[in-house]
Amino acid sequence: MGTRIETAQTLSDLFQPVQLGAYQLANRIVMAPLTRSRADEHGIPGALIAEHYAQRASAGLIISEGVNISPSARGYALTPGIYDDAQIEGWRKVTEGVHARGGRIFPQLWHVGRISHCSLQPGGVLPVAPSAIRPEATSYTASGFQPCPTPRVLGTAEIPQIVDQYRRAAQNALAAGFDGVEIHAANGYLIEQFLRDSTNRRTDAYGGSRENRARFLLEVVEAVAGVCGGARTGIRLSPGSPVNGAALDSDPDATYGYVVEQLNAFDLAYIHTIEGVTQGPRELADGVNFQHLRRSFKGLYMANNGYDRELALNARQHDLADLISFGRLYIANPDLVERLRIGARLNVPDRATFFGGGAAGYNDYPALTPA
Ligand code: 8OZ
């Protein structure tokens, strides 16, 4: 390459290998989970999706879009699943493509709970949730965005069945060649609906006290880590985000602090935290102390939300995070690691192609150097 002047930025350990649980990652840059609604109507990821992730394999780790753990887990049309053989086969091509380019990939295991619509549910039934509280939120159906209905309350005896669906999804993920899994416990979906006192009015062992509201989350973690091992398991949390009609917990620091302390028993690879409001400002987290969560947790801390090059370099320089995940920037920049490393200009994402459609606005964003 001839002589190159190393700047402080290119020497940042953001671009250096890091041990994350069972794996040495090539760098500390993570592709954040991004729902793009490009699977088929059976939730099977095809060649389009495989190409998309293969293009982004230079990330230290890719976390896939949310993946439905069961037919009832679905709240958005054309999102992929990981509960049947055809889906597992589809994912195998994804993981092979990423591995062939030296990357690592975890699927994000997802159950939407009440953020769904009868038209997306098997048999047209109501979506399920811890309590019968209708969210002020919409679900993306075959006929566009629709208001979510009042959900059906899960019976206590049904809850172990859902935990079991997570367990099987984790087994399927390993069968499909994934390197581990991330549990989606953020953004007002099922796990967080149990956790927050704003969305959980149960009077059984899964509601009431903080310990009871965290029970479902911890049972899911136990099941998934039991399959993958803690060193191949991560979890995503959004203590300060009121999205999907879920008002914040009345004491986020105490509730998520309790969760993180309990997670230490499972030796997870990481917590992946949305700092601030999902897809919104970083600042407005109603005083949630993310650094306290980080210090309470034994594994690595993966920070997310609105990071750019400068914020990410700063986070490493001042040791505010172990890894940084980028969502929006990864939509339009398949070679984001290289662009950040040399400070190159970034492609601008096109909102019109975020959800649904084909290769346009998905696989046609150029790399600096054509692959
Ligand atoms: C945007 C659109 C659809 C789903 C999340 C899985 O917020 C999502 C999601 C985001 O976690």
Side-chain angles (χ1 to χ4, degrees):
M1 290 251 346
T3 33
R4 185 159 53 85
I5 297 168
E6 297 282 359
T7 65
Q9 285 81 5
T10 59
L11 290 173
S12 167
D13 72 358
L14 187 60
F15 306 103
Q16 300 301 317
V18 61
Q19 190 73 26
L20 177 69
Y23 299 106
Q24 191 185 63
L25 308 182
N27 54 65
R28 294 172 183 263
I29 294 167
V30 176
M31 179 180 174
L34 291 160
T35 290
R36 306 299 302 275
S37 287
R38 280 169 167 86
D40 75 6
E41 64 273 26
H42 306 292
I44 300 170
L48 188 71
I49 293 180
E51 169 64 17
H52 183 74
Y53 289 116
Q55 285 181 359
R56 287 156 177 75
S58 62
L61 176 67
I62 294 171
I63 301 163
S64 82
E65 62 206 282
V67 179
N68 304 310
I69 59 158
S70 74
S72 318
R74 192 164 75 127
Y76 298 79
L78 303 177
T79 50
I82 193 154
Y83 49 83
D84 71 27
D85 289 341
Q87 295 164 351
I88 295 169
E89 280 312 304
W91 284 119
R92 201 187 309 279
K93 300 200 179 68
V94 174
T95 62
E96 284 171 359
V98 171
H99 291 156
R101 297 201 194 180
R104 298 277 183 197
I105 180 166
F106 288 15
Q108 191 194 46
L109 301 186
W110 190 24
H111 191 308
V112 297
R114 65 181 188 159
I115 307 300
S116 187
H117 188 263
C118 300
S119 68
L120 293 165
Q121 291 291 313
V125 300
L126 286 170
V128 295
S131 299
I133 308 169
R134 192 177 72 78
E136 286 295 331
T138 56
S139 164
Y140 178 62
T141 74
S143 46
F145 283 95
Q146 302 284 339
C148 301
T150 303
R152 177 178 73 77
V153 176
L154 281 166
T156 305
E158 289 179 276
I159 296 174
Q161 297 167 17
I162 299 186
V163 173
D164 223 51
Q165 291 167 359
Y166 277 97
R167 183 180 295 111
R168 263 178 280 141
Q171 288 163 346
N172 292 346
L174 296 184
F178 281 106
D179 298 299
V181 306
E182 176 170 292
I183 297 165
H184 193 345
N187 294 343
Y189 298 114
L190 183 63
I191 294 176
E192 204 171 53
Q193 290 160 29
F194 272 94
L195 185 60
R196 291 185 180 181
D197 53 10
S198 61
T199 46
N200 183 339
R201 293 186 192 144
R202 300 181 74 90
T203 54
D204 63 3
Y206 293 91
S209 67
R210 179 165 293 126
E211 291 75 9
N212 280 358
R213 286 182 277 116
R215 189 177 309 282
F216 178 65
L217 180 155
L218 295 170
E219 287 181 356
V220 169
V221 169
E222 182 176 30
V224 168
V227 170
C228 299
R232 290 179 180 78
T233 304
I235 187 166
R236 196 168 204 218
L237 303 170
S238 59
S241 193
V243 297
N244 283 316
L248 295 193
D249 188 79
S250 61
D251 192 346
D253 277 327
T255 295
Y256 291 80
Y258 170 76
V259 165
V260 164
E261 274 169 30
Q262 296 297 305
L263 289 177
N264 283 331
F266 300 99
D267 292 319
L268 300 189
Y270 67 88
I271 54 171
H272 182 189
T273 306
I274 300 166
E275 298 170 334
V277 178
T278 308
Q279 294 176 47
R282 293 177 48 74
E283 295 74 27
L284 284 180
D286 269 3
V288 177
N289 189 336
F290 292 97
Q291 288 302 312
H292 179 74
L293 287 183
R294 181 184 183 208
R295 285 190 298 274
S296 309
F297 182 62
K298 284 197 316 202
L300 296 198
Y301 178 87
M302 186 185 294
N304 174 256
N305 207 24
Y307 277 85
D308 58 13
R309 182 171 189 268
E310 195 184 331
L311 273 174
L313 290 170
N314 181 68
R316 281 309 303 152
Q317 192 181 343
H318 299 287
D319 194 24
L320 302 173
D322 300 298
L323 301 121
I324 313 289
S325 79
F326 298 87
R328 271 161 285 185
L329 297 189
Y330 253 118
I331 291 178
N333 296 280
D335 54 346
L336 184 65
V337 172
E338 181 63 4
R339 285 177 192 255
L340 293 181
R341 198 177 63 77
I342 65 177
R345 235 158 42 119
L346 299 176
N347 299 320
V348 178
D350 171 20
R351 293 199 158 267
T353 51
F354 278 8
F355 304 108
Y362 190 54
N363 290 342
D364 59 356
Y365 290 107
L368 293 169
T369 314

